[in-house]
Amino acid sequence: LCVKMYSLEHSESAELVITSPDSFKVKSRKTKDVIYSLVKDASKSITITGYSISDFFTEMLDVIIRKSQQGVYVTLYVNDLEKQKLVLERLLAYKSKFLRIYEYQKDSEDKMAALHAKILVVDKKVSLVSSANLSYHGMQGNIEMGILLKSEEKAKQIEELLKELKRMKVFSQV
C-alpha cells in the first residue's frame, strides 16, 4: 500500500495542449483554458515567461494580480518591456514581494536575440511548455502546440534554470 501511494505521488504525465481556431474540431485541451485553469488553481507559486504579451491577455493579468494579493508568489519574465509596457502597466503597479517582473537583457552584439520561451510553471509541480505567445493569435487564432507536464522534477529544472539565468544577469528585475 505504501509503495502504491509513493508511486502515485511521484508519477509523471504529459498531455498535448493546442491552440487552434474554434472551427477545428481537435480532441485536445485548449492552451487558453489550460493556462487559465493552472493560474486560477495555483496555491504557492506561478512562473511565466513570455515573448509577446498583448491586451488579449489582460483578463489573465487580473487573475495573476489577485493571486499575488492572496500570497501566491508570481514571477514573470518578459522579453521587451518597452514594447509591452501598455499591457503590463497595471501589473507593474502591483509589483511586490509576491509579484516580481524580470526583463531579458538583450545582447548588444546580437540585436535579434530574445527571450522566446513560452513557459508556465505552477506550484513547482506542473509545467506548460508551448509555442503559444500570450496574445490573441497565441491563444486563439494560430495553430500552436504545447506539452503539459505533471512532473515536480521537470518543474524544478525549469525553475532552477531561470534562477541561474538571473544570477548570470541574463534577466534583471524591473
Side-chain angles (χ1 to χ4, degrees):
L1 181 62
C2 288
V3 171
K4 267 190 178 178
M5 287 178 60
Y6 180 82
S7 295
L8 286 174
E9 284 180 23
H10 293 85
S11 64
E12 296 183 353
S13 66
E15 176 184 352
L16 179 67
V17 175
I18 190 165
T19 297
S20 63
D22 290 336
S23 61
F24 290 25
K25 302 299 178 207
V26 180
K27 293 183 181 181
S28 290
R29 289 175 64 194
K30 295 282 189 172
T31 305
K32 182 180 177 183
D33 296 338
V34 170
I35 290 173
Y36 184 79
S37 175
L38 288 172
V39 170
K40 184 179 71 64
D41 294 341
S43 62
K44 295 177 185 162
S45 64
I46 301 168
T47 300
I48 305 174
T49 66
Y51 172 74
S52 176
I53 303 172
S54 75
D55 56 1
F56 183 76
F57 201 65
T58 303
E59 183 181 317
M60 183 59 60
L61 293 179
D62 293 337
V63 176
I64 289 169
I65 290 167
R66 268 196 314 277
K67 284 302 205 175
S68 72
Q69 292 172 330
Q70 294 168 357
V72 174
Y73 289 97
V74 176
T75 309
L76 175 63
Y77 297 87
V78 295
N79 181 58
D80 188 342
L81 186 64
E82 203 54 43
K83 282 186 181 176
Q84 303 173 90
K85 203 162 195 164
L86 287 176
V87 175
L88 296 176
E89 207 164 42
R90 259 194 89 234
L91 201 61
L92 290 166
Y94 286 93
K95 287 188 313 179
S96 69
K97 169 184 168 184
F98 292 101
L99 177 57
R100 296 200 172 136
I101 302 169
Y102 293 87
E103 183 176 22
Y104 173 69
Q105 299 303 298
K106 291 186 187 254
D107 182 346
S108 60
E109 293 178 25
D110 185 354
K111 302 285 187 221
M112 297 302 289
L115 165 64
H116 206 252
K118 292 94 171 183
I119 296 172
L120 170 63
V121 179
V122 173
D123 294 338
K124 298 182 181 5
K125 293 181 180 179
V126 182
S127 308
L128 175 63
V129 180
S130 177
S131 63
N133 284 312
L134 303 173
S135 63
Y136 170 79
H137 286 101
M139 296 294 121
Q140 208 160 309
N142 290 349
I143 297 173
E144 307 278 358
M145 290 187 205
I147 297 291
L148 179 64
L149 299 168
K150 293 180 181 173
S151 167
E152 289 182 34
E153 180 185 330
K154 299 301 182 227
K156 183 180 176 183
Q157 286 177 337
I158 292 168
E159 295 274 4
E160 287 301 317
L161 177 60
L162 291 169
K163 283 180 188 174
E164 180 61 26
L165 292 173
K166 283 191 295 189
R167 282 191 288 273
M168 295 169 56
K169 308 270 190 255
V170 172
F171 296 104
S172 64
Q173 190 167 353
V174 177

